[in-house]
């Protein structure tokens, strides 16, 4: 599986073990330890950091290392031969031995300087790669942040719309409540007016009924009085007829 930012390493390149994540995972720099725990330790770092930096030599560096190693071996071989000659000819060979020692020291210094330059170059490349990864992560973070800000703006707009709807609903509720209150008051007034009218009509009917009742009782009394008078007159007539 290839991950974003992965680069293929050309065949023949050498893994640099004294820099980068390999050096951090294996501080001792022992090749045997690296071989045994390479996958295990670097997998841990990959899980923790989500990125793994492995540094490899270039073809030019390998070529220079080989040439420098071969030259150093030949020079040390020559130096050993001169030292043997100095045992037999100490006076005549001393000057040559000193010159060779100076060259040897100069060669070591140049080798050390070259390795230092190579190490510095690797660190610069590593720094550039790290900066590229950091820039990519920063761009991702900025993109994500913009997406979050956009979502926040959308949520704020949605919240404003919801609050506006709630305010409108509250206003409508207050208006409806006021209308219902007014309707109820109108109904109460209308009911009171109807009841007052009903009771007034009932009182009027009762008064009219009482008057009619009194009138009927008076008429009844008059009729009764007339009946008694008629009965008396009838008896008187009967008596008069009987006397004849």
């Amino acid at each position: 599986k290839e991950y974003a930012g992965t680069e293929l390493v050309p065949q023949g390149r050498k893994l640099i073990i004294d820099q980068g994540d390999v050096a951090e995972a294996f501080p001792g720099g022992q090749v045997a330890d690296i071989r045994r725990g390479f996958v295990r330790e670097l997998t841990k770092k990959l899980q923790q950091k989500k990125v793994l930096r492995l540094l490899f030599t270039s073809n030019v560096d390998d070529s220079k290392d080989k040439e420098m190693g071969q030259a150093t071996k030949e020079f040390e071989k020559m130096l050993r031969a001169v030292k043997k000659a100095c045992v037999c000819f100490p006076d005549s060979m001393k000057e040559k031995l000193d010159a060779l020692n100076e060259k040897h020291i100069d060669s070591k210094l140049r080798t050390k300087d070259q390795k230092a330059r190579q190490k510095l170059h690797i660190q610069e490349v590593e720094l550039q790669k790290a900066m590229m990864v950091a820039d990519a992560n920063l761009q991702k973070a900025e993109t994500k942040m913009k997406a979050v800000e956009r979502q926040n703006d959308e949520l704020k707009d949605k919240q404003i719309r919801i609050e506006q709807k709630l305010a409108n609903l509250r206003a409508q509720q207050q208006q409806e409540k006021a209308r219902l209150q007014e309707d109820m008051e109108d109904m109460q007034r209308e009911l009171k007016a109807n009841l007052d009218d009903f009771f007034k009509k009932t009182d009027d009917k009762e008064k009219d009924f009482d008057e009619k009742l009194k009138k009927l009782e008076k008429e009844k009394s008059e009729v009764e009085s007339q009946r008694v008078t008629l009965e008396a007159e009838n008896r008187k007539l009967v008596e008069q007829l009987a006397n004849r």
Side-chain angles (χ1 to χ4, degrees):
K1 180 180 179 179
E2 292 188 5
Y3 296 91
T6 302
E7 294 183 8
L8 297 177
V9 180
Q11 186 176 2
R13 301 289 178 88
K14 293 181 180 179
L15 178 66
I16 298 174
I17 63 175
D18 60 347
Q19 295 185 56
D21 287 335
V22 177
E24 293 178 5
F26 304 96
Q30 298 297 322
V31 177
D33 295 338
I34 296 174
R35 286 178 177 174
R36 283 194 301 268
F38 185 83
V39 176
R40 181 184 67 254
E41 295 298 328
L42 295 183
T43 300
K44 291 180 182 178
K45 293 186 71 66
L46 181 60
Q47 292 174 347
Q48 293 171 357
K49 299 169 60 177
K50 306 301 181 185
V51 62
L52 187 62
R53 297 173 297 118
L54 300 180
L55 306 178
F56 294 86
T57 60
S58 65
N59 291 333
V60 176
D61 294 332
D62 293 341
S63 177
K64 288 183 177 179
D65 287 342
K66 290 180 182 179
E67 291 178 0
M68 184 63 69
Q70 186 64 30
T72 301
K73 288 180 181 179
E74 292 178 358
F75 187 82
E76 289 176 350
K77 182 178 180 181
M78 184 185 300
L79 188 59
R80 286 194 298 271
V82 172
K83 284 182 178 180
K84 290 179 181 179
C86 283
V87 174
C88 301
F89 309 98
D91 295 332
S92 60
M93 298 299 295
K94 184 177 182 304
E95 184 177 349
K96 292 183 178 180
L97 180 61
D98 291 340
L100 289 175
N101 281 328
E102 289 180 1
K103 289 182 179 180
H104 189 222
I105 294 172
D106 184 61
S107 175
K108 285 183 177 181
L109 290 175
R110 284 200 306 271
T111 302
K112 187 175 181 181
D113 181 67
Q114 182 179 348
K115 288 184 177 181
R117 290 177 181 274
Q118 182 181 358
K119 189 173 183 179
L120 180 61
H121 173 69
I122 293 173
Q123 289 175 348
E124 290 176 351
V125 173
E126 182 182 5
L127 179 60
Q128 291 176 358
K129 295 289 185 181
M131 289 298 295
M132 291 173 62
V133 173
D135 289 340
N137 292 335
L138 180 60
Q139 290 179 359
K140 290 180 181 178
E142 289 178 349
T143 302
K144 189 174 182 179
M145 184 175 65
K146 288 180 180 179
V148 171
E149 289 177 350
R150 185 170 58 255
Q151 291 177 356
N152 287 335
D153 292 339
E154 292 175 355
L155 289 175
K156 287 179 180 178
D157 292 339
K158 188 174 181 180
Q159 183 180 4
I160 291 173
R161 291 195 298 270
I162 292 174
E163 290 177 351
Q164 186 64 41
K165 287 182 179 179
L166 287 175
N168 294 336
L169 288 174
R170 292 192 187 100
Q172 292 177 2
Q173 185 179 14
Q174 292 296 329
Q175 293 175 359
E176 186 67 18
K177 184 177 180 181
R179 188 183 64 79
L180 291 174
Q181 182 68 26
E182 185 178 354
D183 291 345
M184 185 175 67
E185 291 175 354
D186 291 341
M187 291 175 63
Q188 289 177 346
R189 285 193 295 267
E190 184 178 358
L191 178 61
K192 184 177 181 302
N194 291 334
L195 288 174
D196 291 342
D197 184 62
F198 173 76
F199 288 135
K200 184 177 181 299
K201 289 180 179 180
T202 302
D203 291 340
D204 293 339
K205 287 181 179 180
E206 287 180 354
K207 290 178 181 179
D208 185 54
F209 179 77
D210 290 340
E211 290 177 356
K212 288 180 178 179
L213 183 62
K214 288 179 181 180
K215 185 177 180 180
L216 288 173
E217 288 178 350
K218 183 179 179 181
E219 290 177 353
K220 179 182 178 182
S221 178
E222 291 176 352
V223 170
E224 185 66 25
S225 177
Q226 290 176 1
R227 186 182 65 79
V228 171
T229 302
L230 288 174
E231 286 180 352
E233 289 179 354
N234 190 27
R235 282 194 302 271
K236 190 181 286 186
L237 288 174
V238 171
E239 289 177 357
Q240 288 176 1
L241 289 175
N243 292 328
R244 290 180 183 177

